[in-house]
Coordinates of all heavy atoms in Angstrom, one line a residue:
M1 N -0.3 -4.0 -11.2 CA 0.4 -2.9 -10.5 C 0.9 -3.5 -9.2 O 0.6 -4.5 -8.7 CB -0.6 -1.8 -10.1 CG -1.8 -2.2 -9.3 SD -2.7 -0.8 -8.6 CE -1.6 -0.2 -7.4
T2 N 2.0 -2.7 -8.7 CA 2.6 -3.2 -7.4 C 1.8 -2.5 -6.3 O 1.6 -1.3 -6.3 CB 4.0 -2.6 -7.4 OG1 4.8 -3.2 -8.4 CG2 4.7 -3.0 -6.0
Y3 N 1.3 -3.4 -5.4 CA 0.6 -2.9 -4.3 C 1.3 -3.4 -3.0 O 1.8 -4.6 -3.0 CB -0.9 -3.5 -4.3 CG -1.7 -2.9 -3.2 CD1 -2.3 -1.6 -3.4 CD2 -2.0 -3.5 -2.0 CE1 -3.1 -1.0 -2.5 CE2 -2.8 -2.9 -1.0 CZ -3.4 -1.7 -1.2 OH -4.1 -1.1 -0.3
T4 N 1.4 -2.5 -2.0 CA 2.0 -2.9 -0.7 C 1.1 -3.0 0.4 O 0.2 -2.1 0.6 CB 3.1 -1.7 -0.4 OG1 4.1 -1.7 -1.4 CG2 3.8 -2.1 0.9
T5 N 1.2 -4.1 1.1 CA 0.4 -4.3 2.4 C 1.3 -4.0 3.6 O 2.4 -4.3 3.5 CB -0.3 -5.7 2.5 OG1 0.7 -6.7 2.3 CG2 -1.3 -5.8 1.3
W6 N 0.6 -3.5 4.6 CA 1.3 -3.3 5.9 C 1.0 -4.5 6.8 O -0.1 -4.9 7.0 CB 0.8 -2.1 6.6 CG 1.1 -0.8 5.9 CD1 0.1 0.1 5.3 CD2 2.3 -0.2 5.7 NE1 0.8 1.1 4.8 CE2 2.1 1.1 5.0 CE3 3.7 -0.5 6.0 CZ2 3.2 1.9 4.6 CZ3 4.7 0.3 5.6 CH2 4.5 1.5 4.9
Q7 N 2.1 -5.2 7.2 CA 2.0 -6.4 8.0 C 2.4 -6.0 9.5 O 3.4 -5.3 9.7 CB 3.0 -7.4 7.5 CG 2.8 -7.8 6.1 CD 1.8 -8.9 5.8 OE1 1.2 -8.9 4.8 NE2 1.6 -9.7 6.8
L8 N 1.6 -6.5 10.4 CA 1.9 -6.5 11.8 C 2.0 -7.9 12.3 O 1.1 -8.5 12.6 CB 0.8 -5.7 12.6 CG 1.1 -5.4 14.1 CD1 2.3 -4.5 14.3 CD2 -0.2 -4.9 14.8
G9 N 3.3 -8.3 12.4 CA 3.5 -9.8 12.7 C 3.0 -10.5 11.4 O 3.4 -10.2 10.3
D10 N 2.0 -11.4 11.6 CA 1.5 -12.2 10.5 C 0.1 -11.7 10.0 O -0.5 -12.3 9.2 CB 1.4 -13.7 10.9 CG 0.5 -13.9 12.1 OD1 0.0 -12.9 12.7 OD2 0.2 -15.1 12.5
R11 N -0.3 -10.5 10.5 CA -1.5 -9.9 10.1 C -1.4 -8.8 9.2 O -0.5 -7.9 9.4 CB -2.3 -9.5 11.4 CG -2.8 -10.6 12.3 CD -3.8 -10.1 13.3 NE -3.2 -8.9 14.1 CZ -3.7 -7.7 14.0 NH1 -4.8 -7.5 13.3 NH2 -3.3 -6.8 14.8
V12 N -2.2 -8.6 8.2 CA -2.3 -7.5 7.3 C -3.2 -6.4 8.0 O -4.3 -6.7 8.3 CB -2.8 -7.9 5.9 CG1 -3.0 -6.6 5.1 CG2 -2.0 -8.9 5.3
V13 N -2.7 -5.2 8.1 CA -3.4 -4.2 8.8 C -3.8 -3.0 8.0 O -4.4 -2.0 8.4 CB -2.7 -3.7 10.1 CG1 -2.6 -4.8 11.1 CG2 -1.3 -3.1 9.8
G14 N -3.2 -2.9 6.7 CA -3.5 -1.8 5.9 C -2.7 -1.9 4.6 O -2.1 -2.9 4.3
G15 N -2.8 -0.9 3.8 CA -2.1 -0.9 2.5 C -1.5 0.4 2.1 O -1.6 1.4 2.8
M16 N -0.7 0.4 1.0 CA -0.1 1.5 0.5 C 0.0 1.5 -1.0 O 0.3 0.5 -1.6 CB 1.4 1.7 1.1 CG 2.2 2.8 0.5 SD 3.8 3.0 1.3 CE 4.6 1.6 0.9
I17 N -0.3 2.6 -1.6 CA 0.0 2.7 -3.1 C 0.9 3.9 -3.4 O 0.9 4.9 -2.6 CB -1.4 3.0 -3.8 CG1 -2.2 4.2 -3.3 CG2 -2.2 1.7 -3.7 CD1 -3.4 4.5 -4.1
A18 N 1.7 3.8 -4.4 CA 2.6 4.9 -4.8 C 1.8 5.8 -5.7 O 1.2 5.4 -6.7 CB 3.8 4.2 -5.5
M19 N 2.0 7.1 -5.5 CA 1.3 8.1 -6.3 C 2.2 8.4 -7.5 O 3.4 9.0 -7.3 CB 1.1 9.4 -5.5 CG 0.2 9.1 -4.3 SD 0.1 10.6 -3.2 CE -0.9 11.7 -4.2
G20 N 1.9 8.0 -8.7 CA 2.7 8.2 -9.9 C 2.3 9.5 -10.6 O 1.6 10.4 -10.1
D21 N 2.8 9.6 -11.8 CA 2.6 10.8 -12.6 C 1.1 11.0 -13.0 O 0.7 12.1 -13.4 CB 3.4 10.8 -13.9 CG 4.9 10.8 -13.6 OD1 5.3 11.3 -12.5 OD2 5.7 10.4 -14.5
D22 N 0.3 10.0 -12.9 CA -1.1 10.1 -13.2 C -1.9 10.8 -12.2 O -3.1 11.1 -12.3 CB -1.7 8.7 -13.5 CG -1.5 7.7 -12.4 OD1 -0.4 7.8 -11.7 OD2 -2.3 6.8 -12.2
W23 N -1.3 10.9 -10.9 CA -2.0 11.7 -9.9 C -1.8 13.2 -10.1 O -0.7 13.7 -10.3 CB -1.4 11.3 -8.5 CG -1.8 9.9 -8.1 CD1 -1.3 8.8 -8.5 CD2 -2.7 9.6 -7.0 NE1 -1.9 7.7 -7.8 CE2 -2.7 8.2 -6.9 CE3 -3.5 10.4 -6.2 CZ2 -3.6 7.6 -6.0 CZ3 -4.3 9.8 -5.2 CH2 -4.3 8.3 -5.1
P24 N -2.9 14.0 -9.9 CA -2.8 15.4 -10.0 C -1.8 15.9 -9.0 O -1.7 15.5 -7.8 CB -4.2 15.9 -9.7 CG -5.1 14.8 -10.1 CD -4.3 13.6 -9.7

């Protein structure tokens, strides 16, 4: 699956997932 990380400069500070049709 495609997963997105949030970058602040060269550091990873969090993540993001896309809510698809499988989400209620």
Side-chain angles (χ1 to χ4, degrees):
M1 62 170 284
T2 300
Y3 190 82
T4 299
T5 54
W6 296 114
Q7 306 272 153
L8 183 65
D10 59 356
R11 293 192 305 117
V12 176
V13 296
M16 177 174 65
I17 56 174
M19 301 172 71
D21 295 337
D22 54 330
W23 285 74

